[in-house]
Amino acid sequence: MDILDVAPLLSITLGVFLLLFILFRRSGLGKDKKIKFILAAIVFVYTFISFDYYITINHKGDTSYFGISYLFIHLIGFLFYYFVILYTNATINWKKWLLIIIGYTFLRWTFFFPLFKYETLQEFMDFVEGSGYNKWLEWEYILMSLLNILLFIWAFFRLKESPLVLDLNEKQALQYKWIKLVLIAFVLLQTGILISDIIGSFKIENYEMFEDYEIYMKFETLMIAIFFFIFSFSIMHFPVFAFTGDFEDLPKVVKKKYAKSSLTDSSALFDKIKSLVKDEKLYLDFDIKLNMIAEKLGESIHHISQAINQNAEMSFPDFINSFRIEEAKQKLLESKPDTIFAISLDVGFNSKAAFYTAFKKVTSQTPTEFKKSNRT
C-alpha cells in the first residue's frame, strides 16, 4: 500500500476535522459568522469531492453516486472570492453575484442533466466515448477550472490591495504572509488538478481502463489532503484584526487581558478619539492606522479599538470612513463640485472604487445618486 492508496480516506478525515474546527472555533476569524460558514462551505466541497472519489474507487465505479461532487466544484472560486471580501471588510453587490452564480449553476446542471440516467461509471464512459460528448465535457471542465483559477487570482489581488488598519510587527507580518500562501495554494491546487485532468484525458483514451482513472482520482485527493494541511495552519493565523481593527476579532484570552486593564470608561476615550480625528482631520490620510491614534493619545491599540467598537458599534475603517463621507457630501453639494474621483482623493480614499463602496455603505446611495437627490 502506497500513499496514493490512503489519499482519499486521508483527505476525507482531514476535511471533516478541519470543517469541525472552523465551525466551532470561537475566535480568530472575526465576529462575522458568514466568514466561518463560507470557509466551511469551501472545505465541505473539497471533502465531498474526496468522498465521491473514495466511494467510486471502492465500488470500482459500480455506484450511482459517482461524480455528484462535480456539480458543485464551480462554487469554490466564488466562495473563496467572497471569503476574501468578508475577511478584508470590503463590500460587494452580492445580489448581482448571487444571480450570476444561480444562472451559471443552472446552465451547468442543464448541461449535465442527460447524464444523470447512467447508474455506473462504466455506462457513463461508454456513452460519452461513443457519442462524442467527452469533448464537450473536457472543454466545460477546462473553462470551469480556468474561471475558478481566475477568481482565486482576483481574490489574491483584492487581499494584496486591501489596506491594513495597523502596522504589523514581525510576527504579525509572518502571519499575513501565511494568508497569501494559502491563496497561492488554492491557485496551485486548482491548476494542478486541471493539468492532471488534461493529461488524464489524453492518456485514458479507452475509458474501459478504470485503473488509470482510479490513479487520477487518488492523485487528486492526495493534492487536496496536502492543501488541507496548509489550510489548517493558515486558518489558525489569520490576523483579521489587522484588517478590521475590531476588538471583537481578538481571541478571548486577549480580550480578557484588556478587560482587566485600567480602561473602565471606554466612552470617555471614544470622545477623545472622535475629537482628535475630527479636529486634526486625520481621516484625510488614506494610510491612517490605529497605531497613529494610539500614539497620539498615549493609549494601547486594543483600547482604541475597544472604545470605537463599543461606542460607535463599527469597525475602525468604517469609523474613519464615516468622517470622510461627511466631508465628501459637502464637496458634492458645492455649486461647482470637482469630479467624483478628485473628491474621493481629497477626502482620504486611495481609489474611486473604495470611495463608491464606502459611500453606498454609509448612505445607501452612490455619489451620483446623492447629488441628484440633494440638488435642490
Side-chain angles (χ1 to χ4, degrees):
M1 179 180 291
D2 57 23
I3 191 169
L4 282 179
D5 291 329
V6 299
L9 191 57
L10 176 64
S11 184
I12 294 170
T13 305
L14 288 173
V16 170
F17 277 109
L18 183 56
L19 190 62
L20 293 174
F21 175 77
I22 292 170
L23 291 174
F24 293 100
R25 183 175 172 83
R26 295 185 178 181
S27 63
L29 290 175
K31 64 180 182 180
D32 191 345
K33 292 183 179 180
K34 285 186 288 187
I35 289 181
K36 281 188 176 185
F37 296 144
I38 295 298
L39 276 178
I42 294 170
V43 174
F44 174 77
V45 172
Y46 277 126
T47 306
F48 186 36
I49 292 170
S50 301
F51 176 76
D52 188 347
Y53 288 173
Y54 176 77
I55 295 295
T56 304
I57 291 170
N58 281 271
H59 288 80
K60 298 298 180 182
D62 294 328
T63 171
S64 58
Y65 295 103
F66 75 91
I68 297 298
S69 61
Y70 188 71
L71 297 175
F72 303 95
I73 197 171
H74 67 285
L75 298 175
I76 292 175
F78 292 108
L79 287 170
F80 199 80
Y81 181 75
Y82 188 46
F83 160 71
V84 171
I85 293 296
L86 294 173
Y87 177 65
T88 55
N89 200 37
T91 56
I92 59 170
N93 186 343
W94 63 268
K95 291 182 179 179
K96 180 180 73 174
W97 276 92
L98 189 60
L99 288 175
I100 292 173
I101 294 169
I102 292 174
Y104 181 40
T105 301
F106 177 77
L107 287 174
R108 287 195 78 229
W109 288 7
T110 302
F111 178 72
F112 288 110
F113 184 76
L115 308 178
F116 291 164
K117 62 181 179 180
Y118 298 101
E119 297 188 359
T120 68
L121 183 60
Q122 189 61 58
E123 289 180 14
F124 167 76
M125 288 178 172
D126 290 340
F127 167 75
V128 297
E129 182 66 15
S131 64
Y133 210 84
N134 60 322
K135 293 300 179 184
W136 289 103
L137 289 174
E138 288 173 13
W139 278 110
E140 193 281 333
Y141 180 78
I142 291 172
L143 291 174
M144 181 271 298
S145 298
L146 290 176
L147 178 60
N148 273 343
I149 293 170
L150 179 64
L151 286 166
F152 294 152
I153 295 172
W154 195 6
F156 175 80
F157 283 106
R158 284 297 295 259
L159 180 69
K160 187 178 179 181
E161 294 170 1
S162 295
L164 298 171
V165 301
L166 72 155
D167 293 317
L168 301 179
N169 58 35
E170 188 175 346
K171 182 180 178 182
Q172 291 168 331
L174 182 62
Q175 293 172 352
Y176 183 56
K177 288 179 180 178
W178 268 103
I179 302 167
K180 292 182 178 179
L181 178 60
V182 80
L183 270 169
I184 295 172
F186 261 104
V187 175
L188 292 177
L189 172 66
Q190 196 63 45
T191 305
I193 291 174
L194 174 60
I195 292 172
S196 71
D197 284 354
I198 293 174
I199 294 173
S201 67
F202 287 111
K203 183 178 179 182
I204 310 173
E205 295 178 357
N206 181 3
Y207 280 87
E208 293 180 0
M209 297 178 65
F210 179 77
E211 291 77 12
D212 289 336
Y213 197 72
E214 183 179 357
I215 292 173
Y216 145 72
M217 288 188 285
K218 290 178 179 179
F219 178 72
E220 186 169 326
T221 51
L222 176 62
M223 294 183 68
I224 292 174
I226 294 171
F227 168 75
F228 279 156
F229 273 114
I230 299 173
F231 195 59
S232 299
F233 184 87
S234 302
I235 202 174
M236 290 185 282
H237 295 83
F238 279 172
V240 184
F241 181 76
F243 283 101
T244 65
D246 193 332
F247 183 73
E248 296 300 321
D249 289 340
L250 298 172
K252 282 190 175 182
V253 176
V254 179
K255 285 195 286 186
K256 286 181 180 178
K257 175 183 175 183
Y258 288 98
K260 296 177 182 178
S261 70
S262 57
L263 185 61
T264 55
D265 185 6
S266 64
S267 61
L269 177 57
F270 177 69
D271 289 339
K272 292 181 181 179
I273 296 168
K274 194 162 57 171
S275 297
L276 176 68
V277 172
K278 186 176 181 180
D279 295 344
E280 297 191 16
K281 294 196 171 185
L282 297 180
Y283 54 88
L284 296 182
D285 181 358
F286 77 91
D287 199 32
I288 185 173
K289 291 183 169 61
L290 273 168
N291 310 57
M292 297 168 58
I293 296 176
E295 289 172 7
K296 285 180 177 289
L297 294 178
E299 296 282 349
S300 74
I301 295 171
H302 301 97
H303 287 171
I304 298 295
S305 174
Q306 182 180 356
I308 293 172
N309 298 157
Q310 291 178 347
N311 293 274
E313 296 184 348
M314 62 178 69
S315 65
F316 177 73
D318 289 342
F319 173 69
I320 294 298
N321 284 343
S322 66
F323 289 93
R324 292 170 174 166
I325 298 305
E326 285 305 312
E327 180 140 341
K329 285 180 182 178
Q330 297 176 24
K331 289 181 176 292
L332 286 167
L333 296 179
E334 290 177 356
S335 56
K336 293 183 178 180
D338 287 335
T339 64
I340 291 177
F341 178 64
I343 291 174
S344 68
L345 297 179
D346 287 344
V347 299
F349 290 96
N350 60 356
S351 73
K352 186 177 178 179
F355 174 59
Y356 264 84
T357 299
F359 197 95
K360 192 160 187 178
K361 189 173 184 179
V362 173
T363 66
S364 299
Q365 294 178 304
T366 65
T368 304
E369 291 169 345
F370 175 81
K371 283 171 64 178
K372 289 180 179 179
S373 63
N374 291 273
R375 188 167 286 172
T376 55

